[in-house]
Amino acid sequence: MVQLCGLLTCQEEPVPLKSISVTLSICEFVAGVSVTLNYENEEKVPLEVFFVFPMDEDSAVYSFEAMVDGKKIQAELQEKMKAHSNYENAISQGQQAFLLEEDKCSRDVFCCNVGNLPPGSKAALTLKYVQELPLEADGALRYVLPAILNPRYQLSGGPEDSCLKMKAPVVPLEDLPYTISLVATISSQHSIERIQSNCILSPTEYLDDKKTSARVSLADGHKFDRDVELLIYYSDVHTPSVALEMGKPMQKPDSLMGDTAAMVSFYPDIPEAEPVTCGEFVFLMDRSGSMQGPMSKQDKSQSRIDAAKETLTLLLKSLPIGCYFNVYGFGSSYEAFFPNSVQYTQQTMEEALRRVKLMRADLGGTEILIPLQFIYRGPSIPGHPLQLFVFTDGEVTDTFSVIREVRSNRERHRCFSFGIGEGASTSLIKGIARVSRGTSEFIIGKERMQAKALRALKRSLQPVVEDVSLSCDLPQGLSAKMLSPEQTVIFRGQRLIVYAQLTGTMPSAEATGEVCLKYTLQGKSFENKVTFSLQPKHDDNFTIHRLAAKSFLQTKDMGFRETSAGDKKEVLEVSIESGVISSHTAYIAINKDLNKPVQGPLARRDIPTPFLLSTTAMTPWKRACTRSKASSYYRLPASEPTMITHYSSMSHQQNGHGTRRSLTNKILFSLVFGENYLVQLISLQKADGSWDLCEGLAIVLGVKLRDIRDAFTIKNADLTSWATALAVLWLHANGQDLKCEWELLERKAVAWIHNHADSRILSRTFISVHKVEDSLELSLLSCCMN
């Protein structure tokens, strides 16, 4: 019996991929990344190796090279079918060949082929890309190196030549047979306050006294068992800027790579305005089987469907009175809560919440296109623009078809999309938000979905920013051609990045230009201006040019089969000129200098990819009652819905067993909600924003219901006003750390108080609901009752 050495697959085949090394350079909000895949053939036969891996869809891959036994081979970007033909011809002739391509069906999946790797041979394949870093709500710049590529649901009749059709072996995260190393260097004109990660890092090493440059690395021995996330905090990230980059020498003028490229970054100072109270809010919730999987590999990680249900509950509670809404669940089929969108009332909200509790990840595969088409065919509601919220783990294969459908309906709606869990398709999530002028969010690890979903809801309720225009004031003989799509929507607190090509004669060193962003909000005109030097800087990697090319390609490239003939021609021209890969191009490298062809039949080896284990192996009761560290919520199994009691009705049943009933209610309440009193309080709020004075509210306040009633001595006043004022007071005193999640429902409560409450109640509670000090806490409650 032969003893195999080295790393093995589950079929006991040696794994040719030994390690992945990443060099990351972040300057301001742009990342330059170099990824090297190190292969070694430990077998006695030549190999053809296939490695399918995820990439963020915003990554502009612009270089690919192979180092084989000390010899460097630079790859060439070619039209995809031509590259495939050249690869196959080289392999058949015994030559070494290397192919890198973006998947035909999704921009966030790549495949790397190594052909004719002889026994004992080593190869290091290096790909390089640049990427804009998104800005988080807390001011952090977020870089993610994807690791998890979850299996994508395969539609019948789908393309057979997609990378996603490859039967690559999968292994549990802890058994992944290759390691990764990462070294990151961060630099900025502003000081670097801190660097955080979901993985163990080395201590931050500052490279200068002003802390404008720093270096960190992954801890030794890190397994590629999760997406690697870095959060970079600068002292200031809201400074508008214009950066100019020289074109490539020897390139023809008036070409993308030959001319100077500009990157314009704005942080519009949009004033806060009162939210609108109209709109049709449609929530499209993924209920495919994969949603039963965990949010992350962390112990006791909450399932994706449970996190989505809790978030949907909070969203439904936060909707404004008078709007319209509906909820759809989709998988291989789809279901709607109501035949058409209904007006938001106490009755419709309660019915929707009842159905949310019953939702399960039980609808099979992930087919989102058909329910989207059904929603778009529905009648529009005059005065209520459609706002679509999509929650999915993004495991689909018809990505470009879905994006095209959303784009064709962009004039009648905005889409806010949420990628749930590690491995969600960035191509789908970002794509549908971008083409519909919405926003996208990703929730991984211990991140709270609720906060990100409520931020999107707040944006959807913002008054529309209109008449958006961007203009450049340049010296005579110089003009700007915009490469980014026209901006029609801007949200408060959002960064705006635009790329332009400067054509003509660059002026003297002293010359400056000016760019002006104009927009209108609620009839008032606003403008932001930036003056900049017209002296471009040289960059060997042509970072701005390639980011500009990527921005252009994202608007034109709708996949290998979905792109129109006219757009395909432009995509090919820009892709090959800039070196930025697209769905219509691929990198090919051939080692033509071998002394003799590689002999013998090729053995195929597919590199294993990690997957997240599902919670379905757990018993139903254990799975349902597992406490999530991310949310601190307790969940009951579906077989026990009757334990969730309507406390408002119970509180009016007065009898001689009040004390015992109160204790029983408190026990039941604790079983349902654990110790999370904020969730308890939110669950009791009515659609109009008010609270009833009931047993459940008394439990949250930590006071007996009888004592609250006895303390209320104002004659002929409404107890609901009293209860609502106390609930708002409690939110401000005890829920400040999660204020972003209850701001909208608190706003409803304040509006209700102002419209309904007796002024004597407000003075009685000693509060102005918008000016509650932290020091008040529950001492005010006891004060109110004395």
Side-chain angles (χ1 to χ4, degrees):
M1 179 177 178
V2 177
Q3 180 66 45
L4 295 175
C5 299
L7 301 169
L8 303 178
T9 68
C10 54
Q11 288 81 25
E12 295 189 348
E13 299 165 341
V15 177
L17 179 63
K18 301 305 179 186
S19 64
I20 301 173
S21 59
V22 180
T23 302
L24 170 63
S25 177
I26 296 175
C27 181
E28 305 298 353
F29 52 84
V30 174
V33 188
S34 176
V35 180
T36 299
L37 311 174
N38 297 295
Y39 293 86
E40 182 178 359
N41 183 0
E42 296 175 323
E43 300 188 57
K44 296 182 179 181
V45 294
L47 299 180
E48 183 176 19
V49 184
F50 297 84
F51 183 32
V52 179
F53 58 95
M55 291 275 286
D56 191 289
E57 89 110 37
D58 287 334
S59 303
V61 178
Y62 67 89
S63 175
F64 182 53
E65 64 182 33
M67 182 70 73
V68 183
D69 297 326
K71 176 181 175 56
K72 180 189 283 189
I73 308 167
Q74 188 66 44
E76 178 186 353
L77 189 63
Q78 299 178 354
E79 189 274 329
K80 179 168 283 189
M81 299 311 295
K82 178 182 177 181
H84 271 265
S85 177
N86 289 337
Y87 175 82
E88 294 298 335
N89 290 337
I91 294 299
S92 65
Q93 295 171 19
Q95 294 177 317
Q96 285 183 326
F98 309 90
L99 185 72
L100 177 70
E101 63 178 317
E102 179 182 290
D103 185 60
K104 294 180 177 180
C105 298
S106 188
R107 267 194 286 258
D108 63 341
V109 178
F110 278 67
C111 183
C112 180
N113 298 8
V114 178
N116 276 329
L117 188 63
S121 183
K122 295 181 179 181
L125 308 186
T126 299
L127 62 95
K128 297 179 180 179
Y129 66 90
V130 290
Q131 176 188 349
E132 295 171 11
L133 299 184
L135 183 66
E136 298 291 289
D138 62 355
L141 290 165
R142 183 173 183 257
Y143 169 76
V144 175
L145 181 68
I148 306 299
L149 178 59
N150 292 320
R152 305 285 173 93
Y153 177 70
Q154 303 293 323
L155 292 170
S156 59
E160 293 297 327
D161 55 351
S162 167
C163 301
L164 298 169
K165 285 282 187 178
M166 292 186 180
K167 302 298 183 183
V170 293
V171 296
L173 297 175
E174 61 271 17
D175 296 333
L176 196 65
Y178 46 86
T179 60
I180 181 173
S181 62
L182 180 147
V183 177
T185 303
I186 299 98
S187 61
S188 171
Q189 61 179 325
H190 306 288
S191 63
I192 302 166
E193 293 186 343
R194 64 186 186 278
I195 302 169
Q196 296 179 350
S197 178
N198 62 333
C199 303
I200 300 176
L201 298 178
S202 65
T204 301
E205 176 188 0
Y206 287 102
L207 306 179
D208 63 354
D209 294 337
K210 296 182 179 180
K211 295 188 175 182
T212 59
S213 182
R215 182 186 296 123
V216 295
S217 60
L218 280 177
D220 293 340
H222 176 82
K223 285 279 189 177
F224 210 9
D225 60 353
R226 73 192 78 172
D227 293 345
V228 178
E229 179 187 63
L230 293 181
L231 297 175
I232 299 99
Y233 293 84
Y234 298 137
S235 60
D236 187 5
V237 293
H238 296 96
T239 304
S241 64
V242 178
L244 301 186
E245 182 179 85
M246 291 181 182
K248 264 189 174 183
M250 310 304 292
Q251 292 282 330
K252 63 182 180 180
D254 299 334
S255 65
L256 170 61
M257 297 303 291
D259 284 337
T260 296
M263 179 169 63
V264 182
S265 174
F266 270 112
Y267 299 85
D269 186 18
I270 300 175
E272 187 171 8
E274 282 298 312
V276 298
T277 57
C278 60
E280 179 188 6
F281 300 88
V282 174
F283 303 98
L284 183 57
M285 187 67 65
D286 192 340
R287 288 178 52 191
S288 62
S290 58
M291 285 288 288
Q292 187 56 45
M295 289 291 295
S296 75
K297 70 177 289 290
Q298 305 300 316
D299 291 340
K300 299 182 180 180
S301 176
Q302 187 181 27
S303 73
R304 298 173 183 179
I305 189 66
D306 283 343
K309 287 166 61 177
E310 291 173 359
T311 302
L312 183 54
T313 297
L314 187 57
L315 286 168
L316 290 173
K317 286 283 187 176
S318 301
L319 291 177
I321 281 288
C323 72
Y324 287 75
F325 80 102
N326 205 349
V327 179
Y328 291 79
F330 72 92
S332 299
S333 58
Y334 66 93
E335 300 174 356
F337 282 13
F338 307 100
N340 293 296
S341 292
V342 296
Q343 192 166 20
Y344 182 71
T345 64
Q346 181 66 22
Q347 181 180 358
T348 56
M349 183 194 74
E350 287 181 351
E351 173 61 18
L353 292 175
R354 183 188 69 82
R355 298 195 63 169
V356 167
K357 293 170 185 174
L358 301 176
M359 287 175 60
R360 298 290 180 268
D362 57 1
L363 291 184
T366 311
E367 298 185 27
I368 189 175
L369 183 59
I370 294 177
L372 274 175
Q373 292 170 335
F374 179 82
I375 291 169
Y376 292 143
R377 286 197 302 266
S380 298
I381 302 174
H384 293 270
L386 176 61
Q387 312 274 16
L388 179 62
F389 291 73
V390 177
F391 296 83
T392 178
D393 56 15
E395 298 177 6
V396 303
T397 51
D398 57 341
T399 302
F400 286 114
S401 298
V402 174
I403 294 174
R404 185 177 63 174
E405 181 67 26
V406 174
R407 186 173 69 170
S408 65
N409 290 276
R410 65 184 180 274
E411 297 303 324
R412 59 166 299 197
H413 88 301
R414 289 185 296 185
C415 179
F416 299 87
S417 54
F418 303 86
I420 303 174
E422 292 176 325
S425 169
T426 60
S427 184
L428 175 71
I429 303 304
K430 292 184 177 182
I432 58 177
R434 182 178 57 250
V435 300
S436 64
R437 301 159 300 171
T439 61
S440 59
E441 298 278 5
F442 292 87
I443 304 98
I444 63 173
K446 295 182 179 181
E447 291 182 310
R448 287 181 63 80
M449 190 187 304
Q450 294 89 333
K452 295 192 173 186
L454 265 293
R455 180 161 72 242
L457 181 59
K458 291 172 192 173
R459 285 175 169 169
S460 73
L461 292 171
Q462 288 179 11
V464 176
V465 175
E466 300 175 307
D467 304 324
V468 180
S469 65
L470 191 69
S471 60
C472 290
D473 183 8
L474 299 172
Q476 188 174 2
L478 191 64
S479 61
K481 174 186 175 183
M482 295 299 168
L483 298 174
S484 301
E486 180 184 4
Q487 296 292 324
T488 58
V489 173
I490 308 174
F491 295 104
R492 187 171 185 269
Q494 189 177 31
R495 183 182 63 195
L496 174 64
I497 296 178
V498 178
Y499 296 95
Q501 177 182 338
L502 300 187
T503 303
T505 304
M506 296 301 294
S508 62
E510 298 79 16
T512 60
E514 183 180 79
V515 61
C516 181
L517 175 68
K518 296 181 179 179
Y519 55 91
T520 302
L521 177 64
Q522 295 181 323
K524 295 182 180 180
S525 297
F526 300 87
E527 64 178 37
N528 297 151
K529 294 182 178 180
V530 179
T531 300
F532 58 96
S533 169
L534 283 170
Q535 293 305 301
K537 295 182 179 180
H538 174 72
D539 179 359
D540 289 336
N541 295 323
F542 298 96
T543 300
I544 295 178
H545 284 79
R546 270 136 185 174
L547 289 173
K550 182 67 175 182
S551 177
F552 177 85
L553 292 173
Q554 285 178 322
T555 64
K556 297 287 186 178
D557 188 359
M558 285 290 108
F560 191 75
R561 294 173 178 82
E562 304 283 345
T563 308
S564 66
D567 286 344
K568 179 180 177 180
K569 181 181 178 181
E570 290 187 85
V571 167
L572 281 171
E573 290 176 352
V574 171
S575 177
I576 291 176
E577 180 188 354
S578 65
V580 175
I581 204 168
S582 71
S583 66
H584 298 274
T585 53
Y587 270 107
I588 173 75
I590 300 174
N591 185 2
K592 300 179 180 179
D593 297 333
L594 286 177
N595 294 327
K596 61 179 181 179
V598 177
Q599 302 294 320
L602 287 176
R604 174 171 178 145
R605 295 291 180 262
D606 295 290
I607 302 301
T609 57
F611 70 95
L612 290 172
L613 294 174
S614 172
T615 57
T616 53
M618 300 168 63
T619 64
W621 176 261
K622 181 179 179 181
R623 182 170 64 252
C625 290
T626 297
R627 185 181 183 184
S628 167
K629 294 180 181 178
S631 64
S632 299
Y633 299 164
Y634 285 86
R635 297 175 297 282
L636 286 173
S639 59
E640 303 293 339
T642 56
M643 294 180 71
I644 300 177
T645 310
H646 293 284
Y647 292 96
S648 56
S649 60
M650 291 179 60
S651 64
H652 297 294
Q653 299 173 9
Q654 300 294 323
N655 56 45
H657 304 283
T659 302
R660 184 171 62 186
R661 187 184 68 249
S662 177
L663 179 60
T664 302
N665 291 347
K666 191 166 185 177
I667 293 172
L668 288 175
F669 218 60
S670 180
L671 278 173
V672 175
F673 297 108
E675 296 302 318
N676 196 320
Y677 291 117
L678 176 60
V679 179
Q680 298 180 32
L681 187 66
I682 291 172
S683 72
L684 297 171
Q685 189 185 32
K686 295 161 67 175
D688 62 6
S690 66
W691 274 268
D692 283 333
L693 188 56
C694 62
E695 185 70 40
L697 180 61
I699 292 173
V700 173
L701 301 180
V703 183
K704 293 180 180 179
L705 179 61
R706 180 186 59 194
D707 293 341
I708 299 177
R709 289 180 180 275
D710 291 344
F712 190 74
T713 59
I714 302 175
K715 295 182 179 181
N716 302 320
D718 184 10
L719 285 173
T720 300
S721 301
W722 172 247
T724 304
L726 293 179
V728 171
L729 174 61
W730 190 95
L731 283 173
H732 281 271
N734 297 275
Q736 286 294 328
D737 56 335
L738 295 176
K739 185 177 180 180
C740 60
E741 297 181 16
W742 52 257
E743 275 183 310
L744 288 179
L745 57 87
E746 181 259 2
R747 189 174 290 167
K748 281 202 302 184
V750 170
W752 187 93
I753 290 173
H754 287 166
N755 292 331
H756 297 87
D758 191 314
S759 60
R760 293 173 296 171
I761 294 177
L762 295 183
S763 62
R764 176 69 171 166
T765 52
F766 301 96
I767 66 170
S768 172
V769 291
H770 273 143
K771 298 180 180 179
V772 177
E773 301 292 335
D774 290 343
S775 59
L776 292 173
E777 299 189 39
L778 286 182
S779 60
L780 255 179
L781 294 178
S782 59
C783 179
C784 292
M785 296 175 189
N786 293 331

